[in-house]
Amino acid sequence: MASADSAGSSTITSTTSPAAESGVVGEGLRAALDGRWRATRDELRAGLDRADLLPDPSRTLEEARANILREMRELSSLNFAAAGFRTEHGGTGDVGASISAIEMIGYADLSLMVKSGVQWGLFGGAVENLGTKRHHDRYVADLINLDLLGCFAMTETGHGSNVQALETTATYDAATGEFVIHSPTPSARKDYIGGAAEHARVAAVFAQLITGGPGEEPTGRGVHCFIVPIRDDAGADLPGITTGDCGYKGGLRAVDNGRIMFDSVRIPAENLLNKYGDVAADGTYSSPIENTNRRFFTMLGTLIRGRVSVGATGGATARKALTLATRYALLRKQFDAPGEQEEVTIMDYRAHQRKLLPLIAKSYAIAFAQNDLTAELHDVGSLNLGSGEPNRKDAKRQRRLESWAAGLKAYSTWHASHAINVSREACGGAGYLDENQLSLMRGDIDVFTTFEGDNTVLTQLVGKELLTSYGDDVRGLSATGWVRFVAGMARDVVAEKTAARQVIQTILDDSDEDPEDSALSHRGTQLRLFRNREDHLVRTCAQRLRRANDDESDPFDVFNNAQDHLLKVGQAHVERIVLESFIGAIAECDSRSAAELLDKVCDLFVYSALEEDLSWFLMHRHVSTERAKAIRRGVNELCADLRPHAQTLVDAFGIPEALLTAPMLEHG
Amino acid sequence: MASADSAGSSTITSTTSPAAESGVVGEGLRAALDGRWRATRDELRAGLDRADLLPDPSRTLEEARANILREMRELSSLNFAAAGFRTEHGGTGDVGASISAIEMIGYADLSLMVKSGVQWGLFGGAVENLGTKRHHDRYVADLINLDLLGCFAMTETGHGSNVQALETTATYDAATGEFVIHSPTPSARKDYIGGAAEHARVAAVFAQLITGGPGEEPTGRGVHCFIVPIRDDAGADLPGITTGDCGYKGGLRAVDNGRIMFDSVRIPAENLLNKYGDVAADGTYSSPIENTNRRFFTMLGTLIRGRVSVGATGGATARKALTLATRYALLRKQFDAPGEQEEVTIMDYRAHQRKLLPLIAKSYAIAFAQNDLTAELHDVGSLNLGSGEPNRKDAKRQRRLESWAAGLKAYSTWHASHAINVSREACGGAGYLDENQLSLMRGDIDVFTTFEGDNTVLTQLVGKELLTSYGDDVRGLSATGWVRFVAGMARDVVAEKTAARQVIQTILDDSDEDPEDSALSHRGTQLRLFRNREDHLVRTCAQRLRRANDDESDPFDVFNNAQDHLLKVGQAHVERIVLESFIGAIAECDSRSAAELLDKVCDLFVYSALEEDLSWFLMHRHVSTERAKAIRRGVNELCADLRPHAQTLVDAFGIPEALLTAPMLEHG
């Protein structure tokens, strides 16, 4: 057990026998992190171990865009592109593999990940999940092998978070059997669309469907998705289409984000992706889902793969940044060491340990949670919910999955943004040079916190879902409507916990109900602190919202005044779920020495999460001032304990070595 | 009093009569923010009101570098470049104006600010402050008008924070009357040097001076600065010089950062900037300051202008980002408004107010503190300390100034980095497009937290200075030496407060000694909470460090285990100083309506600072749980109160309108 031997309490320790430790513990850690799709990860790990895949900041916009397309074609030989599509449509039907692969690609170049995600995940996902046989037959094979380049035209200049309010219209013309796609206002312009500036030939366009049957007034049927050709083979805009270029961005240089305006563009009726809503030749609208809201959210729900990929990639990018910063901190020396010729290795400073190690611990936590989410997405996908109304149990599982995907995406990408920032600062001037990658990663990751769902809006969504216990017919309500709904619910809403794993139940059974009575180092105590916080927040938030029933209160004010509370509900829920995933992963870890080290990492995750929210725990008397001080001390002690394992912990992330190329790691 | 009338408690309020408010209150706010160098600011405001000065991301590295030099030449007609030099050297002798101007230039382009800062502040400052008449006569006029382009070659690949350990040597050769400049190892390479990649013709090189008088063994005399020509007129490296290019960075594209290696490069003896240390023709070393450490820190202390400029520019950049994000938030609507056709203006959401308004309040606080710091730098500079040992009182004032500059630089640039990040996120996808500036500013500002002093190291410095009461001969000690010094000091170190302004003393006299007994809204209560935190931290940190006297303790471990505590001492000190500046600025504000609004802004600064550190206040019983809840509520209420003034508050920053060009502000 190399790990136990090398863990000393002194903070001045050189990396003890990293080779030996990596050999045993490291292998165990990596197996735990790789999880169920280890084979996919290994395949990508080998295929991506090429420094030439790293972004080159000297490329012009044009060169970068051309290069990324070339790389996509090259990498498609790795065979992950087909994984996201069912076998009967021409894919290999392994959603988990497709997510894991996309996440690995993020280690190489986030532009490549986003561009791949747009083509195979978003555009492909729309065809796969909203289309029917005629679309699968016509498009899937071509889009997998990149003979057909598509984009995903949902967001408009005026509408990002509020998708139901999109303004683009798709009006059915029974006389010709066509849909007329139109942008009625400047704010209806499709905006920020990856691929729309240059490469995409067709767009999956989200628009308000307007149609009526014989004798019926044409009416809005809500947002539907249409395949709209936008460019000819030479790349010129088709008639009625005006594309634009978003130009230079904070990062993701190789992604050709653009804009699209439609001037009464006619497309054949068959281009409606008609799984959840169809229009007969005479204009009659039909849908297997009666309720407009439910239909909309069911359609949207099939598209969460993009969100899951973005969260997964956020986690991966944080791991890469922390690997670079930790390796640098183990090489770099500064200021006098006591009684030695050499200066102190900066990893030995407590301030530096406190910067990096808690983020490494959180990265482990997020990686395990992400693995669970990916597995659930994979398994729920295989339920094949079909196009009709799913049964109640499946529908609830799907709702929970969506909430989980939203919450973890926000948690993971905020973590990534923060971790990369800290990693850059921890490498000083060297961190600012593009040759050392961190600055490029910082620019690329920035938008991850707001695309595929704004993190604040997503976290609020998690809180809202919890408060209504994933109740039906709640989504799509305005703030006012929603708060009235909650106010009208039966009293004493309690956060419903996802089906507890056996290991969680055992730990809880084995622990004191009052966390103050049992040791903070006990996992049961930790779990109860996280659970009690969530329960407390859900209960008190519901109480506040009930004031909307009061005649004197304006429901919007009630909602708005509780908004920070509601966001905190969402955050507390996600963090509890993440902890449970971590505990589950330790229980499933085959290597005893790896599990022992993971136990310490999990402790650091818990202690630093408690420390970060300590004012809440103190204010609501979930933690005494004495215990609060013990938490701060605990973070320091765990940092010192884990310091000798820093190298092992980041090496276990298993990032292809060529992708960790950085001149600063050659000299320190 | 427009401000009082328009402040409603409802969170749904459209901007009430912004024109009228800006006219009266806004003018008062701007006067307060502009402070003592208002005339300089107005001159720059007019001169910089040109959108063509904004960075253009489509420029190549080469184009961007050439363009910035052209802009520098153009702007030098604004006559601020000479302000940093004494009239007898050919300048206009107005340090405050030079800092204020550099800060204003940051509104246009941070590359331009950095490039200007390197030339006139760092390189020029070295010549001005470390040189003597022969250097002033020869260089000052040329460097002001850009006939001589220089760089500031301090940092080495192996040494950033620990300047005393620089490896470059300057060995005096009495036979020829020359210094031999040499880079003995790869880590001695000068690195990240602005101007070294392309434009600089000479470098102010910091190197270990080695010399001995007749019959004396040549010995190291510590770090001194030398003017070393590095390029010929055609831009080619001179013999023995090897320059390199740092290439692409996270931002500041137009700054040509580079590297320099010296292979026994000979320079004439007169190129030693000899104000604080000189070498006679026979090699005899002399200095007006006997103690090597004190000499080193005296020399370094004359160079803090760069650090002050960087802090000032951080503050300015945060203000610009918050202006862009606030204007967007006042235009942008999303999701249903209750009972209206239109969606809700996002500034009306509490979550959005909580993102932006506390940062705006903190920006006000920092702007006032920065004005005070700039004024103190200006006034201390005019003391003209001379080259000898300053008297004790002046020396202490200088030490406090240096500590203040270090602390505020860290506080201000971390704020900037965070505020720009939040502003970008608050603008979603639009914020990520370079055309809207925030993403470019994000990339540019990133390095501000680690250049001109790493923020963590600087904050630690503030803590260390406080614990030794700016004691002499302490600087330059290793961690071990320093902790032994503190442990040996008389007991009960108490943070020394800078000479309290009258207004601060009056407020304190007028308030209860125990803050729990008086209202939190009382400024005296707020001040005491900030002061008590600082005192508590200083006292308990000193107690911990005294353990180094214990035979069983390793002094480095004692230091390292207290490092997070020491950093917190520094932070608490800076935040108290910032608050006192804010209070001082309100007292000096001529406009009553502006002062009333500033009072609210100051409250929000205080409440959100308390909220951010609430766990500390609770843990150490400086705040009760009831009061803690009142603090959270207070932040929410103040956000609602200030919401109607958001436009006025950002407009008062007085950023030239052309520099706020952003397409997202044209449509919302």
PDB file of all heavy atoms in Angstrom, chain A residues 38-64:
ATOM      1  N   ARG A  38     -14.849   2.270 -20.324  1.00  0.00           N
ATOM      2  CA  ARG A  38     -13.393   2.263 -20.322  1.00  0.00           C
ATOM      3  C   ARG A  38     -12.835   1.909 -21.703  1.00  0.00           C
ATOM      4  O   ARG A  38     -11.843   2.496 -22.143  1.00  0.00           O
ATOM      5  CB  ARG A  38     -12.879   1.257 -19.273  1.00  0.00           C
ATOM      6  CG  ARG A  38     -11.396   1.029 -19.378  1.00  0.00           C
ATOM      7  CD  ARG A  38     -10.759   0.636 -18.071  1.00  0.00           C
ATOM      8  NE  ARG A  38      -9.589   1.474 -17.880  1.00  0.00           N
ATOM      9  CZ  ARG A  38      -8.629   1.223 -17.019  1.00  0.00           C
ATOM     10  NH1 ARG A  38      -8.704   0.193 -16.221  1.00  0.00           N
ATOM     11  NH2 ARG A  38      -7.598   2.017 -16.924  1.00  0.00           N
ATOM     12  N   ALA A  39     -13.433   0.963 -22.369  1.00  0.00           N
ATOM     13  CA  ALA A  39     -12.908   0.527 -23.672  1.00  0.00           C
ATOM     14  C   ALA A  39     -12.932   1.686 -24.672  1.00  0.00           C
ATOM     15  O   ALA A  39     -11.965   1.935 -25.398  1.00  0.00           O
ATOM     16  CB  ALA A  39     -13.721  -0.644 -24.203  1.00  0.00           C
ATOM     17  N   THR A  40     -14.046   2.412 -24.693  1.00  0.00           N
ATOM     18  CA  THR A  40     -14.130   3.578 -25.573  1.00  0.00           C
ATOM     19  C   THR A  40     -13.044   4.580 -25.219  1.00  0.00           C
ATOM     20  O   THR A  40     -12.361   5.129 -26.087  1.00  0.00           O
ATOM     21  CB  THR A  40     -15.507   4.259 -25.415  1.00  0.00           C
ATOM     22  OG1 THR A  40     -16.516   3.310 -25.729  1.00  0.00           O
ATOM     23  CG2 THR A  40     -15.625   5.473 -26.324  1.00  0.00           C
ATOM     24  N   ARG A  41     -12.907   4.828 -23.920  1.00  0.00           N
ATOM     25  CA  ARG A  41     -11.894   5.792 -23.495  1.00  0.00           C
ATOM     26  C   ARG A  41     -10.502   5.349 -23.921  1.00  0.00           C
ATOM     27  O   ARG A  41      -9.690   6.161 -24.362  1.00  0.00           O
ATOM     28  CB  ARG A  41     -11.935   5.972 -21.978  1.00  0.00           C
ATOM     29  CG  ARG A  41     -13.180   6.693 -21.500  1.00  0.00           C
ATOM     30  CD  ARG A  41     -13.102   6.954 -19.995  1.00  0.00           C
ATOM     31  NE  ARG A  41     -14.376   7.398 -19.458  1.00  0.00           N
ATOM     32  CZ  ARG A  41     -14.794   8.657 -19.444  1.00  0.00           C
ATOM     33  NH1 ARG A  41     -14.024   9.600 -19.949  1.00  0.00           N
ATOM     34  NH2 ARG A  41     -15.969   8.986 -18.952  1.00  0.00           N
ATOM     35  N   ASP A  42     -10.218   4.072 -23.771  1.00  0.00           N
ATOM     36  CA  ASP A  42      -8.889   3.580 -24.149  1.00  0.00           C
ATOM     37  C   ASP A  42      -8.656   3.735 -25.651  1.00  0.00           C
ATOM     38  O   ASP A  42      -7.567   4.104 -26.087  1.00  0.00           O
ATOM     39  CB  ASP A  42      -8.715   2.113 -23.728  1.00  0.00           C
ATOM     40  CG  ASP A  42      -8.279   1.980 -22.269  1.00  0.00           C
ATOM     41  OD1 ASP A  42      -7.736   2.984 -21.722  1.00  0.00           O
ATOM     42  OD2 ASP A  42      -8.482   0.921 -21.671  1.00  0.00           O
ATOM     43  N   GLU A  43      -9.684   3.465 -26.403  1.00  0.00           N
ATOM     44  CA  GLU A  43      -9.539   3.595 -27.853  1.00  0.00           C
ATOM     45  C   GLU A  43      -9.253   5.054 -28.235  1.00  0.00           C
ATOM     46  O   GLU A  43      -8.337   5.346 -29.005  1.00  0.00           O
ATOM     47  CB  GLU A  43     -10.825   3.122 -28.551  1.00  0.00           C
ATOM     48  CG  GLU A  43     -10.656   2.973 -30.053  1.00  0.00           C
ATOM     49  CD  GLU A  43     -11.991   2.756 -30.780  1.00  0.00           C
ATOM     50  OE1 GLU A  43     -13.017   2.574 -30.096  1.00  0.00           O
ATOM     51  OE2 GLU A  43     -11.998   2.794 -32.020  1.00  0.00           O
ATOM     52  N   LEU A  44     -10.024   5.956 -27.648  1.00  0.00           N
ATOM     53  CA  LEU A  44      -9.807   7.379 -27.922  1.00  0.00           C
ATOM     54  C   LEU A  44      -8.456   7.840 -27.386  1.00  0.00           C
ATOM     55  O   LEU A  44      -7.763   8.653 -27.999  1.00  0.00           O
ATOM     56  CB  LEU A  44     -10.913   8.222 -27.298  1.00  0.00           C
ATOM     57  CG  LEU A  44     -12.181   8.526 -28.105  1.00  0.00           C
ATOM     58  CD1 LEU A  44     -11.865   9.492 -29.244  1.00  0.00           C
ATOM     59  CD2 LEU A  44     -12.849   7.279 -28.657  1.00  0.00           C
ATOM     60  N   ARG A  45      -8.092   7.336 -26.214  1.00  0.00           N
ATOM     61  CA  ARG A  45      -6.821   7.711 -25.599  1.00  0.00           C
ATOM     62  C   ARG A  45      -5.667   7.427 -26.573  1.00  0.00           C
ATOM     63  O   ARG A  45      -4.755   8.243 -26.746  1.00  0.00           O
ATOM     64  CB  ARG A  45      -6.646   6.870 -24.330  1.00  0.00           C
ATOM     65  CG  ARG A  45      -5.851   7.492 -23.258  1.00  0.00           C
ATOM     66  CD  ARG A  45      -6.041   6.671 -21.969  1.00  0.00           C
ATOM     67  NE  ARG A  45      -6.972   7.295 -21.054  1.00  0.00           N
ATOM     68  CZ  ARG A  45      -7.843   6.645 -20.281  1.00  0.00           C
ATOM     69  NH1 ARG A  45      -7.905   5.319 -20.320  1.00  0.00           N
ATOM     70  NH2 ARG A  45      -8.626   7.310 -19.481  1.00  0.00           N
ATOM     71  N   ALA A  46      -5.732   6.287 -27.206  1.00  0.00           N
ATOM     72  CA  ALA A  46      -4.687   5.939 -28.177  1.00  0.00           C
ATOM     73  C   ALA A  46      -4.808   6.813 -29.423  1.00  0.00           C
ATOM     74  O   ALA A  46      -3.821   7.366 -29.921  1.00  0.00           O
ATOM     75  CB  ALA A  46      -4.797   4.459 -28.534  1.00  0.00           C
ATOM     76  N   GLY A  47      -6.032   6.969 -29.901  1.00  0.00           N
ATOM     77  CA  GLY A  47      -6.233   7.704 -31.147  1.00  0.00           C
ATOM     78  C   GLY A  47      -5.935   9.194 -31.026  1.00  0.00           C
ATOM     79  O   GLY A  47      -5.614   9.853 -32.020  1.00  0.00           O
ATOM     80  N   LEU A  48      -6.058   9.717 -29.812  1.00  0.00           N
ATOM     81  CA  LEU A  48      -5.885  11.165 -29.623  1.00  0.00           C
ATOM     82  C   LEU A  48      -4.503  11.539 -29.114  1.00  0.00           C
ATOM     83  O   LEU A  48      -4.235  12.716 -28.879  1.00  0.00           O
ATOM     84  CB  LEU A  48      -6.920  11.693 -28.618  1.00  0.00           C
ATOM     85  CG  LEU A  48      -8.388  11.653 -29.016  1.00  0.00           C
ATOM     86  CD1 LEU A  48      -9.268  11.974 -27.807  1.00  0.00           C
ATOM     87  CD2 LEU A  48      -8.683  12.620 -30.156  1.00  0.00           C
ATOM     88  N   ASP A  49      -3.632  10.572 -28.959  1.00  0.00           N
ATOM     89  CA  ASP A  49      -2.320  10.877 -28.357  1.00  0.00           C
ATOM     90  C   ASP A  49      -1.398  11.532 -29.386  1.00  0.00           C
ATOM     91  O   ASP A  49      -0.317  11.019 -29.713  1.00  0.00           O
ATOM     92  CB  ASP A  49      -1.714   9.594 -27.780  1.00  0.00           C
ATOM     93  CG  ASP A  49      -0.627   9.910 -26.741  1.00  0.00           C
ATOM     94  OD1 ASP A  49      -0.506  11.082 -26.340  1.00  0.00           O
ATOM     95  OD2 ASP A  49       0.097   8.971 -26.351  1.00  0.00           O
ATOM     96  N   ARG A  50      -1.828  12.679 -29.886  1.00  0.00           N
ATOM     97  CA  ARG A  50      -1.131  13.384 -30.969  1.00  0.00           C
ATOM     98  C   ARG A  50      -1.129  14.871 -30.686  1.00  0.00           C
ATOM     99  O   ARG A  50      -2.172  15.524 -30.728  1.00  0.00           O
ATOM    100  CB  ARG A  50      -1.897  13.170 -32.283  1.00  0.00           C
ATOM    101  CG  ARG A  50      -1.981  11.760 -32.790  1.00  0.00           C
ATOM    102  CD  ARG A  50      -3.057  11.639 -33.866  1.00  0.00           C
ATOM    103  NE  ARG A  50      -3.099  12.795 -34.764  1.00  0.00           N
ATOM    104  CZ  ARG A  50      -4.019  12.976 -35.703  1.00  0.00           C
ATOM    105  NH1 ARG A  50      -4.987  12.082 -35.875  1.00  0.00           N
ATOM    106  NH2 ARG A  50      -3.989  14.045 -36.479  1.00  0.00           N
ATOM    107  N   ALA A  51       0.056  15.417 -30.494  1.00  0.00           N
ATOM    108  CA  ALA A  51       0.155  16.847 -30.191  1.00  0.00           C
ATOM    109  C   ALA A  51      -0.344  17.713 -31.349  1.00  0.00           C
ATOM    110  O   ALA A  51      -0.728  18.870 -31.153  1.00  0.00           O
ATOM    111  CB  ALA A  51       1.590  17.219 -29.838  1.00  0.00           C
ATOM    112  N   ASP A  52      -0.368  17.159 -32.555  1.00  0.00           N
ATOM    113  CA  ASP A  52      -0.811  17.976 -33.695  1.00  0.00           C
ATOM    114  C   ASP A  52      -2.306  18.273 -33.629  1.00  0.00           C
ATOM    115  O   ASP A  52      -2.794  19.114 -34.384  1.00  0.00           O
ATOM    116  CB  ASP A  52      -0.481  17.272 -35.017  1.00  0.00           C
ATOM    117  CG  ASP A  52      -1.298  16.005 -35.201  1.00  0.00           C
ATOM    118  OD1 ASP A  52      -1.266  15.132 -34.306  1.00  0.00           O
ATOM    119  OD2 ASP A  52      -1.984  15.876 -36.232  1.00  0.00           O
ATOM    120  N   LEU A  53      -3.022  17.609 -32.741  1.00  0.00           N
ATOM    121  CA  LEU A  53      -4.447  17.919 -32.590  1.00  0.00           C
ATOM    122  C   LEU A  53      -4.689  19.154 -31.730  1.00  0.00           C
ATOM    123  O   LEU A  53      -5.790  19.702 -31.709  1.00  0.00           O
ATOM    124  CB  LEU A  53      -5.195  16.733 -31.979  1.00  0.00           C
ATOM    125  CG  LEU A  53      -5.341  15.491 -32.853  1.00  0.00           C
ATOM    126  CD1 LEU A  53      -6.001  14.363 -32.063  1.00  0.00           C
ATOM    127  CD2 LEU A  53      -6.172  15.798 -34.107  1.00  0.00           C
ATOM    128  N   LEU A  54      -3.672  19.587 -30.995  1.00  0.00           N
ATOM    129  CA  LEU A  54      -3.852  20.758 -30.133  1.00  0.00           C
ATOM    130  C   LEU A  54      -4.093  22.006 -30.983  1.00  0.00           C
ATOM    131  O   LEU A  54      -3.545  22.132 -32.073  1.00  0.00           O
ATOM    132  CB  LEU A  54      -2.608  20.959 -29.253  1.00  0.00           C
ATOM    133  CG  LEU A  54      -2.346  19.839 -28.234  1.00  0.00           C
ATOM    134  CD1 LEU A  54      -0.975  20.008 -27.582  1.00  0.00           C
ATOM    135  CD2 LEU A  54      -3.442  19.807 -27.174  1.00  0.00           C
ATOM    136  N   PRO A  55      -4.917  22.923 -30.484  1.00  0.00           N
ATOM    137  CA  PRO A  55      -5.185  24.136 -31.276  1.00  0.00           C
ATOM    138  C   PRO A  55      -3.913  24.950 -31.483  1.00  0.00           C
ATOM    139  O   PRO A  55      -3.071  25.030 -30.596  1.00  0.00           O
ATOM    140  CB  PRO A  55      -6.194  24.913 -30.417  1.00  0.00           C
ATOM    141  CG  PRO A  55      -6.229  24.268 -29.084  1.00  0.00           C
ATOM    142  CD  PRO A  55      -5.655  22.908 -29.213  1.00  0.00           C
ATOM    143  N   ASP A  56      -3.800  25.531 -32.653  1.00  0.00           N
ATOM    144  CA  ASP A  56      -2.634  26.346 -32.986  1.00  0.00           C
ATOM    145  C   ASP A  56      -3.096  27.794 -33.111  1.00  0.00           C
ATOM    146  O   ASP A  56      -3.814  28.146 -34.051  1.00  0.00           O
ATOM    147  CB  ASP A  56      -2.046  25.848 -34.309  1.00  0.00           C
ATOM    148  CG  ASP A  56      -0.895  26.708 -34.789  1.00  0.00           C
ATOM    149  OD1 ASP A  56      -0.643  27.778 -34.177  1.00  0.00           O
ATOM    150  OD2 ASP A  56      -0.257  26.329 -35.785  1.00  0.00           O
ATOM    151  N   PRO A  57      -2.704  28.650 -32.150  1.00  0.00           N
ATOM    152  CA  PRO A  57      -3.234  30.020 -32.135  1.00  0.00           C
ATOM    153  C   PRO A  57      -2.759  30.864 -33.306  1.00  0.00           C
ATOM    154  O   PRO A  57      -3.301  31.942 -33.547  1.00  0.00           O
ATOM    155  CB  PRO A  57      -2.701  30.593 -30.815  1.00  0.00           C
ATOM    156  CG  PRO A  57      -1.489  29.783 -30.499  1.00  0.00           C
ATOM    157  CD  PRO A  57      -1.757  28.406 -31.050  1.00  0.00           C
ATOM    158  N   SER A  58      -1.780  30.371 -34.048  1.00  0.00           N
ATOM    159  CA  SER A  58      -1.286  31.186 -35.159  1.00  0.00           C
ATOM    160  C   SER A  58      -2.153  31.012 -36.410  1.00  0.00           C
ATOM    161  O   SER A  58      -1.985  31.739 -37.382  1.00  0.00           O
ATOM    162  CB  SER A  58       0.169  30.836 -35.475  1.00  0.00           C
ATOM    163  OG  SER A  58       0.234  29.590 -36.127  1.00  0.00           O
ATOM    164  N   ARG A  59      -3.070  30.059 -36.378  1.00  0.00           N
ATOM    165  CA  ARG A  59      -3.947  29.899 -37.550  1.00  0.00           C
ATOM    166  C   ARG A  59      -4.931  31.055 -37.631  1.00  0.00           C
ATOM    167  O   ARG A  59      -5.458  31.502 -36.623  1.00  0.00           O
ATOM    168  CB  ARG A  59      -4.748  28.596 -37.433  1.00  0.00           C
ATOM    169  CG  ARG A  59      -3.922  27.352 -37.633  1.00  0.00           C
ATOM    170  CD  ARG A  59      -4.807  26.116 -37.842  1.00  0.00           C
ATOM    171  NE  ARG A  59      -3.975  24.927 -37.865  1.00  0.00           N
ATOM    172  CZ  ARG A  59      -3.902  24.037 -36.877  1.00  0.00           C
ATOM    173  NH1 ARG A  59      -4.658  24.177 -35.802  1.00  0.00           N
ATOM    174  NH2 ARG A  59      -3.101  22.996 -36.970  1.00  0.00           N
ATOM    175  N   THR A  60      -5.204  31.495 -38.843  1.00  0.00           N
ATOM    176  CA  THR A  60      -6.262  32.487 -39.038  1.00  0.00           C
ATOM    177  C   THR A  60      -7.600  31.800 -38.816  1.00  0.00           C
ATOM    178  O   THR A  60      -7.689  30.573 -38.735  1.00  0.00           O
ATOM    179  CB  THR A  60      -6.256  33.048 -40.466  1.00  0.00           C
ATOM    180  OG1 THR A  60      -6.546  31.963 -41.357  1.00  0.00           O
ATOM    181  CG2 THR A  60      -4.902  33.656 -40.823  1.00  0.00           C
ATOM    182  N   LEU A  61      -8.623  32.610 -38.720  1.00  0.00           N
ATOM    183  CA  LEU A  61      -9.975  32.084 -38.582  1.00  0.00           C
ATOM    184  C   LEU A  61     -10.251  31.061 -39.686  1.00  0.00           C
ATOM    185  O   LEU A  61     -10.742  29.951 -39.429  1.00  0.00           O
ATOM    186  CB  LEU A  61     -10.953  33.266 -38.710  1.00  0.00           C
ATOM    187  CG  LEU A  61     -12.278  33.216 -37.986  1.00  0.00           C
ATOM    188  CD1 LEU A  61     -12.085  33.118 -36.496  1.00  0.00           C
ATOM    189  CD2 LEU A  61     -13.092  34.474 -38.303  1.00  0.00           C
ATOM    190  N   GLU A  62      -9.911  31.426 -40.904  1.00  0.00           N
ATOM    191  CA  GLU A  62     -10.199  30.567 -42.052  1.00  0.00           C
ATOM    192  C   GLU A  62      -9.421  29.254 -41.955  1.00  0.00           C
ATOM    193  O   GLU A  62      -9.957  28.178 -42.166  1.00  0.00           O
ATOM    194  CB  GLU A  62      -9.832  31.282 -43.364  1.00  0.00           C
ATOM    195  CG  GLU A  62     -10.680  32.497 -43.677  1.00  0.00           C
ATOM    196  CD  GLU A  62     -10.508  33.663 -42.696  1.00  0.00           C
ATOM    197  OE1 GLU A  62      -9.363  33.860 -42.205  1.00  0.00           O
ATOM    198  OE2 GLU A  62     -11.499  34.347 -42.389  1.00  0.00           O
ATOM    199  N   GLU A  63      -8.139  29.373 -41.625  1.00  0.00           N
ATOM    200  CA  GLU A  63      -7.311  28.169 -41.513  1.00  0.00           C
ATOM    201  C   GLU A  63      -7.804  27.262 -40.399  1.00  0.00           C
ATOM    202  O   GLU A  63      -7.852  26.046 -40.540  1.00  0.00           O
ATOM    203  CB  GLU A  63      -5.849  28.565 -41.233  1.00  0.00           C
ATOM    204  CG  GLU A  63      -5.147  29.230 -42.415  1.00  0.00           C
ATOM    205  CD  GLU A  63      -3.853  29.938 -42.013  1.00  0.00           C
ATOM    206  OE1 GLU A  63      -3.557  30.018 -40.796  1.00  0.00           O
ATOM    207  OE2 GLU A  63      -3.147  30.420 -42.914  1.00  0.00           O
ATOM    208  N   ALA A  64      -8.154  27.880 -39.278  1.00  0.00           N
ATOM    209  CA  ALA A  64      -8.602  27.088 -38.138  1.00  0.00           C
ATOM    210  C   ALA A  64      -9.875  26.330 -38.473  1.00  0.00           C
ATOM    211  O   ALA A  64     -10.033  25.150 -38.137  1.00  0.00           O
ATOM    212  CB  ALA A  64      -8.823  27.994 -36.930  1.00  0.00           C
TER     213      ALA A  64
END
